Amino acid sequence: MRLIYAFIAGGLFGAGLFISGMTDTSKVQGWLDVFGNWDPTLAFVMGGAIIPMAIAWRFVPGRKPLVGGAFPTPPEPRLGRNLVLGSVMFGFGWGLAGLCPGPSIASLTYGGVNHWIFVAAMLVGMLLAPKVRSLLDSMEKSSALDTQTPAE
Amino acid sequence: MLETIPVDWIWGLIGGLMIGLGGAVYLLANGRIMGASGIIGGLVDRSGLDTWKERVVFLAGVFLLPIPLYPMYRAVDTHITSNIAVIVAAGLLVGIGTRIANGCTSGHGVCGISRLSLRGLVATVFYIMAGGFAVIIFRHMLGWV
């Protein structure tokens, strides 16, 4: 059952990304292009996605997932450097290509070879991430200016 | 041109509701947070190998379900840049950044904000601002994308 639910969830996610136009890189870049021809579609997608999720979170306290096990723990309150730095790196790449991880997978069947190249580069980046993370940690230790503690 | 814009918004809202419904199924049925970068990244760096079947099946759904919907959409063109160097740089940044930040648009944005997570909100503000800067620099100043 766990796998059937996972397929349904992934299917809804992929179909939703396709229908919303979020696999069209020009629409994503249009959203980020505040000083150009701004396209607010992404706000409708985000808003639409947050509604069912917000309702779903209300069912979590005091219950168990349908297939058993446990729900995710409450969100970590600490912000930290990795969250900010990683998000800035991610956002920069997102703006460059107009693709984030979900849509990059959803568009593989119709986006052409460039989407496969993007996903390949993204997978390499994910492989490199632990190295970059420890590099950041060692830089932080040698920096007297930085008074923050590592978050993750 | 003007009359086509609201249609895009409506499709965006419908698609968004489906994305959120997918996240709700993944949360309430499987007890997992639907974050694309976490699901993929856990396979790549082997940190999530114990749940690899669930991850692979989820990604298969993401990959396959757009196919029967091709006729529904007006244009399947994704308008991706033809500049391979930009694509590779962007892919590397997205891969490294989402793993260091522990989430992307789906994990921090959709799943995080909907549970009023401060981390999700802060991450979303930073990646949207960085994306905006990237578009300013590379579209308006350099004209690359």
Side-chain angles (χ1 to χ4, degrees), chain A residues 1-37 39-42 44-57 59-60 64-68 70-97 99-112 114-118 121-130 132-133 136 151-152, chain B residues 1 5 8-38 40-42 44-45 51-55 57-67 69-84 86-106 108-120 122-124 126-140 144-145:
Chain A
M1 275 322 277
R2 177 175 280 276
L3 297 183
I4 295 170
Y5 288 130
F7 188 77
I8 293 171
L12 280 166
F13 185 46
L17 287 170
F18 178 77
I19 286 175
S20 64
M22 287 301 104
T23 61
D24 182 344
T25 60
S26 67
K27 291 203 78 63
V28 174
Q29 287 178 326
W31 154 261
L32 295 170
D33 194 2
V34 181
F35 299 107
N37 196 4
D39 181 344
T41 307
L42 191 140
F44 287 87
V45 182
M46 265 284 191
I50 284 172
I51 296 167
M53 269 317 286
I55 298 169
W57 281 117
F59 284 94
V60 165
K64 281 189 178 307
L66 277 180
V67 299
F71 279 121
T73 49
E76 162 90 34
R78 276 199 297 176
L79 296 174
R81 174 211 62 201
N82 282 353
L83 182 81
V84 171
L85 217 70
S87 294
V88 167
M89 287 178 76
F90 160 47
F92 221 76
W94 191 42
L96 265 181
L99 279 175
C100 50
S104 75
I105 303 293
S107 59
L108 278 178
T109 57
Y110 55 92
N114 286 2
H115 283 248
W116 289 88
I117 295 172
F118 178 88
M122 180 177 80
L123 296 181
V124 171
M126 286 178 168
L127 263 179
L128 293 175
V132 176
R133 196 193 286 250
L136 287 171
E152 270 96 8
Chain B
M1 186 63 201
I5 290 169
D8 278 4
W9 295 358
I10 294 165
W11 283 118
L13 189 65
I14 295 170
L17 287 168
M18 290 174 70
I19 294 167
L21 212 58
V25 169
Y26 209 48
L27 176 69
L28 296 178
N30 290 19
R32 305 250 186 252
I33 290 178
M34 189 188 73
S37 60
I40 303 166
V44 174
D45 64 18
T51 51
W52 70 272
K53 278 185 198 157
E54 189 178 26
R55 292 165 191 265
V57 169
F58 176 90
L59 293 172
V62 179
F63 177 81
L64 291 174
L65 259 286
I67 296 174
L69 300 175
Y70 289 169
M72 275 190 68
Y73 207 58
R74 301 165 301 283
V76 169
D77 188 0
T78 60
H79 302 105
I80 192 166
T81 174
S82 52
N83 187 331
I84 302 295
V86 167
I87 293 175
V88 170
L92 285 171
L93 281 168
V94 169
I96 296 171
T98 53
R99 289 306 277 162
I100 289 180
N102 244 322
C104 58
T105 338
S106 46
H108 277 317
V110 175
C111 298
I113 290 176
S114 64
R115 80 198 292 205
L116 305 175
S117 153
L118 184 62
R119 281 172 59 82
V122 168
T124 303
F126 275 99
Y127 64 67
I128 288 179
M129 282 199 319
F133 275 117
V135 169
I136 290 172
I137 295 169
F138 292 98
R139 172 174 290 181
H140 295 300
W144 288 3
V145 291

